[in-house]
Amino acid sequence: NAGVTQTPKFQVLKTGQSMTLQCAQDMNHEYMSWYRQDPGMGLRLIHYSVGAGITDQGEVPNGYNVSRSTTEDFPLRLLSAAPSQTSVYFCASSYRDGGNTIYFGEGSWLTVV
Amino acid sequence: GENVEQHPSTLSVQEGDSAVIKCTYSDSASNYFPWYKQELGKGPQLIIDIRSNVGEKKDQRIAVTLNKTAKHFSLHITETQPEDSAVYFCAARPAISGGYQKVTFGTGTKLQVIP
């Protein structure tokens, strides 16, 4: 019973490098999203998807790209890493109909130097 | 958009005492208020939620109250135990009328239960 799986758990990047955070869920959830967590700022929505082929911007989308080619996968791409993107990233998923619970992955700790 | 404020940012209590975390929201259209617990090194996990047509909800040692008029809601943990130590997030979401409804999170409260 995997739930929401994120990889990698830890990553150090140099400024200007690009990388992809992987996210997969096995609960057949329609909705998937990416949040970043920073001290004193709670969880902020980066991008979200309501289904395969459909994505939209959240509160803090700049510098990030997403795609949703399958129901299960929702990768987050950092195009050109900046120190301001040092954060903990959480992927999440939920049902579209009747479900309110958001299920989070265990997080990816990213440091940009 | 919605704005959720959460207080206090840190809270220390003796084991066995009660802990209360308070949140306020700004959007009167919000009608669903979940609380998440985040243990160290883990992702947040839903522990209890309340809808706007209910004033209070209990689940064993935790309870949530909602005052729609004042736009505030609170988490109450009684008989605290060391395993209650974690970061707690409140959140608010408007009514689902079709499509994705964004959840707005508070800034979190770090609860420490001292044995």
Side-chain angles (χ1 to χ4, degrees):
Chain A
N1 202 10
V4 179
T5 304
Q6 290 181 234
T7 56
K9 184 88 169 178
F10 300 98
Q11 183 72 50
V12 178
L13 281 180
K14 293 183 179 178
T15 297
Q17 286 185 320
S18 63
M19 76 157 298
T20 299
L21 299 177
Q22 302 291 344
C23 175
Q25 53 94 6
D26 62 359
M27 297 172 282
N28 207 29
H29 287 167
E30 295 88 356
Y31 293 163
M32 295 188 74
S33 51
W34 277 100
Y35 291 85
R36 61 176 289 173
Q37 183 178 17
D38 302 291
M41 304 193 75
L43 294 155
R44 294 183 292 168
L45 182 65
I46 304 171
H47 284 286
Y48 65 96
S49 168
V50 299
I54 306 170
T55 64
D56 207 344
Q57 296 181 351
E59 183 184 352
V60 287
N62 292 341
Y64 307 96
N65 247 353
V66 292
S67 60
R68 184 103 179 263
S69 57
T70 67
T71 300
E72 295 78 20
D73 301 299
F74 191 46
L76 178 73
R77 296 183 189 84
L78 279 72
L79 308 173
S80 177
S84 61
Q85 293 179 303
T86 294
S87 187
V88 183
Y89 293 85
F90 289 97
C91 180
S93 69
S94 59
Y95 285 113
R96 178 187 62 198
D97 297 319
N100 296 300
T101 305
I102 299 175
Y103 296 84
F104 287 90
E106 298 216 325
S108 296
W109 274 254
L110 177 66
T111 301
V112 182
V113 297
Chain B
E2 176 65 276
N3 181 46
V4 177
E5 295 191 357
Q6 183 172 347
H7 299 282
S9 56
T10 60
L11 179 60
S12 291
V13 299
Q14 290 292 134
E15 182 177 357
D17 287 350
S18 295
V20 180
I21 302 170
K22 299 182 179 182
C23 290
T24 61
Y25 62 99
S26 61
D27 189 351
S28 57
S30 288
N31 76 338
Y32 173 67
F33 306 92
W35 286 87
Y36 284 80
K37 176 183 180 182
Q38 183 181 24
E39 297 178 342
L40 192 62
K42 303 287 187 180
Q45 188 171 14
L46 180 73
I47 56 171
I48 194 168
D49 56 13
I50 191 168
R51 297 181 182 277
S52 59
N53 59 347
V54 176
E56 182 176 2
K57 184 177 179 180
K58 288 183 179 180
D59 183 4
Q60 300 182 350
R61 294 186 298 106
I62 61 174
V64 57
T65 59
L66 172 66
N67 183 327
K68 279 188 64 178
T69 303
K71 294 199 185 79
H72 64 71
F73 56 113
S74 300
L75 178 72
H76 304 252
I77 306 174
T78 58
E79 301 173 17
T80 54
Q81 301 169 4
E83 52 265 36
D84 295 329
S85 295
V87 177
Y88 292 82
F89 291 97
C90 62
R93 193 204 67 201
I96 290 182
S97 57
Y100 187 88
Q101 296 296 332
K102 298 172 189 175
V103 176
T104 301
F105 288 87
T107 51
T109 296
K110 184 176 182 179
L111 173 64
Q112 180 185 21
V113 180
I114 304 166

